[in-house]
Amino acid sequence: KCAHRRLVCQAEQKPYYRSKLWWCGTTLLGLGEVGNFTAYGFAPIALVAPLGCVSVTGSAFISVFFLKKTMRTADILGGALAITGIYLLVTFAPDVPQELTARQVQNYLVSWPFLVYSVLEIIIFCILLYFYKIKAVKHIVVLLMMVALLASLTVIAVKAVSSMIALSVKGKMQLTYSVFYIMIVLMATSCAFQIKFLNQAMHLYEATAVVPTNFVFFTTSATISGVIFYREFQSAALLSVFMFLFGCLLSFLGVVIIARNKKEENLQIPFIDCGQIPGQKLTGKIQPDSHSSCYGTLNKEDDSVKRQS
């Protein structure tokens, strides 16, 4: 964002991919995603997915330094709630073995809870896709629910792939199993369709609405998939489950407060260039005419201009 704003202010415009600052941001973003991918191999899905609120909270504070934004009371309150939620998430996260072998993934894939969950997810996704394609319903809830349903498959595949790679690095080779490559295909396919629907939502709606809604839907869907597929919280105490859900609620609330009422920035155009209006020959600025009830009347140069006035 900072790189794009600097390029707009330059007299000589150049492509964004020639900016060193843009490449720096892209590299950092890539490293962050690598870290996120790796985390699934060492921690439960129910813990890694809600911690995505760190990026929303962090961006709100970092934008003060790089984008010269004003720190709002809502940012401080939302950040405090998100940090409290993170503390509860880490403290009461499910304690399950993280060494996930290829044979375990195969057994999970054919387990009846996951098969029932998959059938229900496919039915719901097909209903949403019907409204999206046939009825042309582009509501933000429809789009982001499809993203969330796909995300549940993505996190399942990402955790499986990451865990099998981690075990292979330790000397327990898992890459010779066909399920490893099945999970890679599932991960890539679900990610591609996620991007399609998420881009559609970002195109139709403001980021202030898309970011918190997508975070809540994604986290909920990912947590449910982790509970069903990897059987997280299977032996957890009731108090731990309650406190974990309370931590998720605080994180959701913090993200919503940070994104709430945050206006999108638009370039301010101080005047209208008549040369950009079809059929006009005048190249000056439209100025208010104090002798007319209309704001910004045009000089009457010819009959065509007069008719358009």
Side-chain angles (χ1 to χ4, degrees), residues 241-275:
V241 175
F242 174 79
M243 294 303 294
F244 182 86
L245 293 177
F246 184 61
C248 286
L249 180 62
L250 291 179
S251 299
F252 294 163
L253 188 59
V255 172
V256 170
I257 289 176
I258 290 174
R260 179 172 165 267
N261 295 331
K262 185 176 286 187
K263 301 297 183 182
E264 295 288 331
E265 291 186 357
N266 298 313
L267 291 177
Q268 299 296 324
I269 303 177
F271 62 89
I272 301 174
D273 186 357
C274 293

Side-chain angles (χ1 to χ4, degrees), residues 72-267:
R72 306 175 304 158
T73 305
D75 296 331
I76 299 174
L77 177 60
L81 289 173
I83 292 172
T84 305
I86 290 169
Y87 173 77
L88 294 176
L89 289 172
V90 174
T91 304
F92 297 98
D95 186 14
V96 293
Q98 296 307 317
E99 285 198 355
L100 190 64
T101 63
R103 292 190 180 275
Q104 286 177 307
V105 175
Q106 290 174 347
N107 293 333
Y108 290 150
L109 280 173
V110 296
S111 62
W112 69 265
F114 178 69
L115 293 177
V116 173
Y117 174 74
S118 300
V119 171
L120 290 175
E121 189 173 81
I122 291 172
I123 292 173
I124 296 173
F125 186 82
C126 289
I127 293 173
L128 293 172
L129 195 62
Y130 168 78
F131 283 103
Y132 174 76
K133 287 288 188 182
I134 307 300
K135 298 295 185 180
V137 177
K138 301 294 193 298
H139 194 275
I140 186 173
V141 173
V142 173
L143 292 169
L144 294 184
M145 278 191 69
M146 288 193 290
V147 172
L149 292 173
L150 291 168
S152 65
L153 299 177
T154 303
V155 295
I156 288 173
V158 166
K159 181 170 179 60
V161 172
S162 180
S163 299
M164 285 187 278
I165 290 176
L167 281 178
S168 300
V169 172
K170 293 179 181 178
K172 302 177 182 179
M173 180 54 64
Q174 305 292 316
L175 307 186
T176 56
Y177 292 88
S178 59
V179 69
F180 173 77
Y181 301 97
I182 291 174
M183 285 298 183
I184 288 180
V185 172
L186 179 62
M187 178 179 66
T189 305
S190 58
C191 275
F193 283 100
Q194 268 189 85
I195 294 171
K196 170 184 170 58
F197 294 121
L198 189 57
N199 278 337
Q200 182 77 28
M202 290 294 289
H203 177 69
L204 296 175
Y205 302 94
E206 289 188 1
T208 53
V210 175
V211 170
T213 307
N214 182 59
F215 174 73
V216 172
F217 284 3
F218 167 80
T219 303
T220 303
S221 178
T223 303
I224 292 173
S225 65
V227 170
I228 293 176
F229 189 85
Y230 293 110
R231 301 169 188 177
E232 299 171 355
F233 291 106
Q234 190 173 23
S235 58
L238 183 61
L239 178 61
S240 296
V241 175
F242 174 79
M243 294 303 294
F244 182 86
L245 293 177
F246 184 61
C248 286
L249 180 62
L250 291 179
S251 299
F252 294 163
L253 188 59
V255 172
V256 170
I257 289 176
I258 290 174
R260 179 172 165 267
N261 295 331
K262 185 176 286 187
K263 301 297 183 182
E264 295 288 331
E265 291 186 357
N266 298 313
L267 291 177

